[in-house]
Structure formats: C-alpha cells, structure tokens
Amino acid sequence: MQAEKNNALLLVVSAPSGAGKSTLCNRLVEKFPAMEYSVSCTTRAPRGGEKNREHYHFLSREEFDSKVARGEFLEHADVHGNLYGTLQSTVREALRQGRDLIMDIDVQGAAQIRSACAALPADDPLRRSFVDIFIAPPSMDELRRRLSDRATDSEETIEKRMRNAEKEMRERDAYAHLIINDQLDAALENLVQVIHAERKKRA
Ligand code: ADP
Ligand code: 5GP
C-alpha cells in the first residue's frame, strides 16, 4: 500500500455498542473537519435516517460474500448476527491522499488490522498510520441505561448487545489507548490528546 504523504492517522476505534463511540467520533470530526469517517459495508438493514453510502454501504448477503471472495475487505466480521467490513479501497485512498481516517469497527475487525499491521515492515504506510483506541463505558449499568435511553433497539437486541459487551470489554487491553466515556466533554478531550500525541510521534 503506497502513500504519497505518510503522516496520516488511521484511527481504529472500538467500543461496546452504546458506550458512546458514534457520539464521540461525530464530535471529533466536527473538531477536525479534515478527518474522514470510514464508511463500512454491512448486511444489516438501515435504521431510521441512515443513508446508503453516507452511514454504510448497505449490501445484500450475496453482494457482501462476493466482495469477501474477491478479497476487497481489509477486515470483516460477523457482529450481532450481521456482516460488517472495511473496504481496502477506502483505507488505501485515504492513505494515498494523506488524509486521516477514523474507523468505527468491532474488536474482531480491529484485531485483524492489528495483526495485519504487525506483519508489515515498520515503514509501511498502513502500519505507520495505525492507532487503536478502545472506548469503554464507566460501568455496565450505565451501558444498559444508555442503550435503553437511546431507544433504537428492542429489549432482545439490548440483551444481545449487553452479552457481547462483556466479551468486547475483555479485549480492551489489546488497544494502545483506553478512554472511559463518563463525562462526554472529558472523554472528547482525552481523544483529542491522543490524536495530538500520535501526530507528534510521526512529525
Ligand atoms: P455507540 O455508537 O457506542 O453505540 P452512541 O454514541 O449511540 O453509542 O451512544 C449511546 C447513547 O448514549 C446515546 O443516546 C448517546 O446520546 C448517549 N451518550 C453518549 N455518551 C454519553 C455520555 N458521556 N454520557 C451520557 N450519555 C452518553
Ligand atoms: P451498528 O450496527 O450499531 O452500526 O454497529 C454494530 C457494530 O458493528 C459496532 O460495534 C461497530 O463498531 C461495528 N462495525 C461497524 N462497521 C464495521 C466494520 O467495517 N467492520 C467491523 N469489524 N465492525 C464494524
């Protein structure tokens, strides 16, 4: 993967659903308008207000499977029974243009990119740009409260997300950075500090 400018950051952000990752990432993109949000592919149905190609590339299972077969994904995973994946082309294009990219992906996808990076030479643009961040809720009770208050999921889906959250929380030590999203402004400030520190390392 060749980059013309190689100080861009590939921010890989994971969190249990409901921890506030979308809220934080959206606030971050407002603060850093040059930062691009990576649009993933998924087989799940759009939620109210979600637009194709803006929030996700919404694909049928067959379309997703053929992209897997053609090797188009940098990573892909089954999350809560639906398939999600990041296209190689999305990441390659951002790196080529020297743009920062923020990826909201689950712990399985982050692990795939982490091990792919570890196998690359130290000066490879993908490896150089990779920064992984885990966002955790202050407690599991608060996570449940946020999922209920968000009112986008059925009780059954919330239970599934809570079970998955227990597993995801066990992966948090694999990430270079851990941010507890208790007070939103403080968590955003921590995230901004991580970005400044990572930029400084590469300057
Ligand atoms: P995720 O993208 O991780 O699934 P969301 O960003 O949708 O989570 O946040 C889940 C819910 O919690 C939303 O209703 C959001 O407004 C709320 N929320 C996010 N961060 C905080 C916070 N620091 N304190 C209280 N509520 C929060
Ligand atoms: P949601 O359906 O709520 O938008 O996302 C559910 C989960 O899928 C979240 O944990 C989110 O991080 C994850 N996810 C979204 N896009 C991708 C992706 O491209 N790859 C992987 N591995 N996970 C993703």
Side-chain angles (χ1 to χ4, degrees):
M1 200 176 279
Q2 289 302 311
E4 286 163 2
K5 304 166 200 157
N6 56 12
N7 283 333
L9 299 179
L10 180 66
L11 298 171
V12 173
V13 181
S14 305
S17 180
K21 182 178 41 177
S22 314
T23 308
L24 272 168
C25 290
N26 290 338
R27 292 277 299 270
L28 191 72
V29 173
E30 278 169 24
K31 242 182 148 73
F32 296 101
M35 190 167 282
E36 183 184 321
Y37 193 82
S38 166
V39 180
S40 298
C41 296
T42 184
T43 60
R44 86 150 160 75
R47 295 196 195 108
E50 282 183 335
K51 295 200 184 87
N52 193 29
R53 292 194 291 274
E54 189 180 318
H55 296 94
Y56 280 105
H57 301 285
F58 293 100
L59 304 180
S60 67
R61 196 119 191 157
E62 292 69 33
E63 287 168 328
F64 196 101
D65 285 344
S66 61
K67 287 193 184 300
V68 173
R70 290 197 295 267
E72 290 185 31
F73 289 115
L74 176 62
E75 61 74 35
H76 61 94
D78 182 320
V79 188
H80 313 132
N82 289 302
L83 301 178
Y84 293 82
T86 308
L87 291 170
Q88 305 249 22
S89 56
T90 303
V91 177
R92 195 180 309 121
E93 194 50 25
L95 287 181
R96 196 183 64 76
Q97 296 186 6
R99 282 184 280 119
D100 293 334
L101 191 68
I102 185 159
M103 293 173 45
D104 160 355
I105 66 173
D106 89 314
V107 294
Q108 305 168 76
Q112 289 173 37
I113 302 181
R114 194 180 298 118
S115 48
C117 284
L120 292 168
D123 62 349
D124 184 278
L126 180 63
R127 180 166 175 173
R128 273 180 54 87
S129 62
F130 178 75
V131 178
D132 52 347
I133 304 168
F134 191 90
I135 295 170
S139 69
M140 297 311 269
D141 284 347
E142 174 63 14
L143 182 66
R144 184 183 289 277
R145 217 170 1 253
R146 287 183 191 171
L147 284 171
S148 302
D149 291 351
R150 188 170 67 179
T152 52
D153 302 307
S154 66
E155 201 48 50
E156 190 194 335
T157 303
I158 290 177
E159 285 314 318
K160 208 189 300 181
R161 288 179 185 244
M162 287 301 296
R163 280 197 299 277
N164 212 38
E166 306 269 353
K167 280 192 244 153
E168 288 167 323
M169 287 292 281
R170 279 184 232 126
E171 302 300 316
R172 64 185 184 273
D173 291 342
Y175 290 70
H177 304 280
L178 172 67
I179 291 176
I180 313 283
N181 180 22
D182 188 356
Q183 297 301 317
L184 187 62
D185 287 341
L188 181 65
E189 190 46 40
N190 284 344
L191 195 50
V192 169
Q193 276 169 13
V194 164
I195 291 167
H196 286 320
E198 292 288 349
R199 279 192 179 152
K200 229 179 198 164
K201 267 197 226 166
R202 289 163 180 79

